[in-house]
Amino acid sequence: MPLIKNSFSRCLPDSAVAKFKEIIPITFKPVLAVDINNKFFKTLSSIEIDHLVDSSADSLRLTLDSIAPLKKKNVKHSKLAPWYNSQTNELKQLSRKLERKWRSSNNVENLIDWKNSVKEYKKALHKARAAYYSKLIEENKNNPRFLFSTVARLTESHTSIEPSIPRSLNSNIFMTFFNDKILTIRNKINHLLPSIGTNTLPTTEISETAENPTHYLDSFSLITRDQFTKLISGSKPTTCILDPIPTKLLKEILPLIDSSLLNIINLSLSSGYVPQSFKIAVIKPLLKKPTLDPEVLANYRTISNLPFISKILEKVVANQLCEFLRENNIYEDFQLGFRANHSTETASAKVTNDLLIASDQGLVSVLVLLDLSAAFDTIDHQILLQRLKTVN
């Protein structure tokens, strides 16, 4: 039997969306639609910025709740396979019909007809599945990440029931485990490198570093409406439970509120302040592999979901930072991750090329691969900021 769970969802027919579009220009905070250069914005404190951002989100949420309130539903977690089409559905219905006919008559001929129909249904199902994956692979032949994940789904043995988090593991237990994990790694690093403090760089490295860099990124540039609209349109319509309205609906009503949302982004860029609500994330622990024991905390990895507008601000900052590094030619030469036109493929090509050149010269090569545990979580922010200030 399919697993039944309680879920909350909204019913958003075209009529509800039309009504939302009609009301939102009035209920959405109009104060944010003024010019960003207005003196009012230049004097805002961090608390006032938070209030403006939160009240804007509340306006969207309350307006949607008045039109399409959340309703509790019992959801059956059994969805049809993506390759299940009208033909396979007809064959399945025919098979069920012949089965009922045989069971009511107990006729041998009806039994044979039913068995033949089952064979036809299974054959059509197998053919539809093969056609679905063939088309999927062909359409994504230039997307290695998607191809690898698709092959993994086809080859790995998954259990019929999706693993769930045991009730004995609550959020506090997860938080304590992952916090302790980071502290343990940091303590090990400090123990192995006792001469290097956690908040400073080695003296030799600082002395070789330019004290007065020739290039500065001391402020971010405000973005235009076209840039903002392009970012929103090009982003995936994923929705976090912290979002006041579904992302799909936000994209649909964007022309009605784009000035206000744009001012929220530009207000953050000009003030150098990130609203507190943009820093809140929903943390979801996921098993690294479906076959691992869900009772063991070390078998989980954490996924953080941020509000949609928070991710837009993050993209704006990342784009400007990357553009600054590119224009001033201060990228690390061998940085292949998080960089346009660079990936694991270019890394593999570089290593393979170096090995082949060394082999042609009769040299012996030794390849050392280093995998850091919780690499991003253990970054020391003080050291990072110091490097950003002093390293040219």
Side-chain angles (χ1 to χ4, degrees):
M1 288 185 65
L3 183 64
I4 299 177
K5 289 185 177 181
N6 293 328
S7 176
F8 290 89
S9 62
R10 301 181 192 272
C11 181
L12 276 173
D14 293 341
S15 58
V17 174
K19 189 174 181 181
F20 186 78
K21 288 181 178 179
E22 181 183 344
I23 297 176
I24 199 60
I26 303 171
T27 58
F28 195 61
K29 294 298 182 182
V31 68
L32 289 173
V34 302
D35 183 10
I36 190 67
N37 295 316
N38 190 292
K39 292 181 179 179
F40 170 74
F41 280 97
K42 295 183 178 180
T43 58
L44 288 178
S45 65
S46 58
I47 296 176
E48 290 171 325
I49 293 175
D50 285 333
H51 176 70
L52 281 174
V53 173
D54 293 343
S55 62
S56 300
D58 289 340
S59 296
L60 290 171
R61 185 181 295 107
L62 293 174
T63 303
L64 185 60
D65 285 342
S66 66
I67 296 172
L70 285 170
K71 293 183 179 180
K72 186 177 179 180
K73 290 185 178 180
N74 292 328
V75 180
K76 294 182 179 180
H77 290 262
S78 59
K79 55 183 179 181
L80 296 175
W83 56 82
Y84 192 84
N85 53 38
S86 57
Q87 181 189 2
T88 54
N89 185 47
E90 289 177 3
L91 289 173
K92 183 178 180 179
Q93 290 179 348
L94 176 61
S95 177
R96 292 281 178 86
K97 183 178 179 180
L98 291 173
E99 181 186 6
R100 288 193 296 270
K101 186 176 181 181
W102 164 68
R103 292 188 183 280
S104 62
S105 65
N106 254 345
N107 190 299
V108 177
E109 292 181 0
N110 291 339
L111 175 61
I112 295 173
D113 290 341
W114 171 51
K115 288 185 176 181
N116 289 335
S117 69
V118 171
K119 289 180 182 179
E120 287 297 319
Y121 168 65
K122 289 183 177 180
K123 189 186 296 183
L125 203 60
H126 178 76
K127 186 178 179 180
R129 185 174 185 267
Y132 169 78
Y133 278 109
S134 296
K135 182 181 178 182
L136 202 63
I137 292 172
E138 178 62 27
E139 290 176 348
N140 295 275
K141 59 184 178 183
N142 296 323
N143 187 347
R145 179 182 295 180
F146 183 86
L147 292 178
F148 276 121
S149 63
T150 301
V151 172
R153 287 199 307 271
L154 290 172
T155 55
E156 289 180 2
S157 57
H158 295 284
T159 56
S160 57
I161 300 176
E162 196 70 22
S164 58
I165 300 175
R167 292 185 178 182
S168 57
L169 301 180
N170 58 39
S171 57
N172 289 330
I173 293 176
F174 275 106
M175 181 179 67
T176 302
F177 171 78
F178 285 109
N179 281 340
D180 290 346
K181 176 184 177 181
I182 303 305
L183 290 175
T184 301
I185 295 174
R186 282 181 175 274
N187 290 334
K188 286 182 179 179
I189 294 174
N190 292 335
H191 178 71
L192 293 173
L193 302 173
S195 61
I196 301 177
T198 57
N199 295 325
T200 59
L201 287 172
T203 306
T204 54
E205 188 168 349
I206 293 178
S207 62
E208 296 172 0
T209 301
E211 290 292 340
N212 298 308
T214 56
H215 306 292
Y216 291 93
L217 179 62
D218 51 8
S219 63
F220 293 105
S221 304
L222 305 186
I223 62 172
T224 64
R225 179 178 295 185
D226 290 340
Q227 291 174 320
F228 178 68
T229 304
K230 186 177 179 180
L231 273 175
I232 296 283
S233 302
S235 300
K236 294 181 180 178
T238 52
T239 299
C240 172
I241 61 173
L242 299 173
D243 287 321
I245 62 174
T247 304
K248 184 179 178 181
L249 179 60
L250 177 67
K251 287 188 172 187
E252 195 168 340
I253 66 163
L254 186 61
L256 302 174
I257 60 172
D258 56 354
S259 296
S260 298
L261 294 181
L262 174 61
N263 276 337
I264 289 177
I265 299 297
N266 281 335
L267 183 59
S268 177
L269 294 173
S270 62
S271 64
Y273 176 75
V274 179
Q276 290 297 319
S277 59
F278 285 8
K279 299 178 183 179
I280 300 175
V282 176
I283 308 298
K284 295 183 178 180
L286 299 178
L287 277 177
K288 297 175 182 178
K289 293 182 180 179
T291 53
L292 295 176
D293 185 359
E295 297 281 352
V296 180
L297 290 168
N299 291 337
Y300 288 88
R301 59 187 175 92
T302 54
I303 301 295
S304 61
N305 293 334
L306 288 163
F308 180 73
I309 297 299
S310 172
K311 290 186 286 187
I312 296 299
L313 175 62
E314 187 178 278
K315 286 184 180 180
V316 172
V317 172
N319 289 344
Q320 293 191 21
L321 178 59
C322 291
E323 186 66 18
F324 173 80
L325 296 174
R326 187 190 64 78
E327 286 182 351
N328 295 287
N329 196 28
I330 50 179
Y331 262 119
E332 289 289 340
D333 291 338
F334 298 108
Q335 179 184 330
L336 299 176
F338 307 100
R339 188 176 177 185
N341 303 318
H342 294 72
S343 65
T344 52
E345 289 186 19
T346 53
S348 299
K350 174 70 171 66
V351 172
T352 302
N353 183 64
D354 290 346
L355 291 174
L356 291 175
I357 291 175
S359 179
D360 289 340
Q361 295 175 352
L363 301 175
V364 177
S365 300
V366 177
L367 179 62
V368 178
L369 301 176
L370 179 64
D371 184 15
L372 300 176
S373 177
F376 284 96
D377 295 329
T378 51
I379 289 176
D380 189 295
H381 285 198
Q382 294 300 322
I383 295 177
L384 175 62
L385 291 173
Q386 189 173 357
R387 287 186 64 86
L388 290 173
K389 289 179 181 178
T390 59
V391 178
N392 191 8

